[in-house]
């Protein structure tokens, strides 16, 4: 059974940092694009960051560009989201996502491109 499990969320003060992890199991995702999305209370889920299937390209929402960094460790079948200079507006549940097919170029910005989702991890940034 394929599973994506996020971890690393928590409560931090504005300006602080967190590193989120997404550990995959059930199959390898080393040749899949991977994405991060978030959902704040009462709001729609929104794109945060993504990495291409080759690992050669990363993509970020304008709201997090320059503050968040996505990376992958294929040996661990894991992707990460390093979050710095956190703001209260970053408060949300953060989800890891993956498409079904490897070696596939997808529109990474829409959640419709992804088939597998983790359970989410809460990030709360206090002011």
């Amino acid at each position: 059974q394929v599973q994506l499990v996020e971890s690393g969320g928590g409560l931090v003060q504005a300006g602080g940092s967190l590193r989120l992890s997404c550990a995959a199991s059930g199959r390898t995702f080393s040749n899949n694009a991977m994405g991060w999305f978030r959902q704040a209370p009462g709001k729609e889920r929104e794109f945060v960051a993504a990495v291409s299937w080759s690992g050669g390209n990363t993509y970020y929402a304008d709201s997090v560009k320059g503050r968040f960094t996505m990376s992958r460790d294929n040996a661990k079948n894991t992707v990460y989201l390093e979050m710095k200079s956190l703001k209260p507006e970053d408060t949300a549940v953060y989800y890891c996502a993956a498409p079904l097919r490897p070696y596939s170029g997808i529109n990474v910005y829409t959640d419709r491109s992804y088939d597998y989702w983790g359970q989410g991890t809460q990030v709360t940034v206090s002011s």
Side-chain angles (χ1 to χ4, degrees):
Q1 182 177 346
V2 171
Q3 285 189 312
L4 302 177
V5 180
E6 303 96 335
S7 61
L11 173 64
V12 298
Q13 293 181 320
S17 300
L18 284 174
R19 189 182 76 160
L20 306 184
S21 298
C22 173
S25 61
R27 54 162 286 192
T28 180
F29 286 89
S30 61
N31 291 302
N32 283 75
M34 302 288 290
W36 286 98
F37 290 76
R38 67 187 182 187
Q39 187 168 24
K43 301 186 68 176
E44 294 291 312
R45 185 162 56 194
E46 66 175 345
F47 170 79
V48 176
V51 62
S52 64
W53 68 263
S54 67
N57 293 287
T58 51
Y59 311 85
Y60 300 96
D62 288 342
S63 59
V64 307
K65 193 173 298 181
R67 300 187 298 119
F68 291 11
T69 302
M70 187 173 181
S71 61
R72 69 192 310 161
D73 185 340
N74 288 335
K76 295 182 179 294
N77 210 21
T78 298
V79 297
Y80 305 94
L81 185 68
E82 192 78 39
M83 306 186 295
K84 300 179 179 179
S85 300
L86 283 162
K87 305 174 181 179
E89 64 194 271
D90 295 317
T91 295
V93 177
Y94 283 71
Y95 297 92
C96 176
L100 175 65
R101 293 182 176 273
Y103 304 107
S104 180
I106 62 169
N107 181 350
V108 301
Y109 298 102
T110 173
D111 56 10
R112 297 178 183 178
S113 294
Y114 301 88
D115 301 289
Y116 302 110
W117 294 84
Q119 84 290 346
T121 185
Q122 177 72 48
V123 172
T124 303
V125 184
S126 64
S127 59

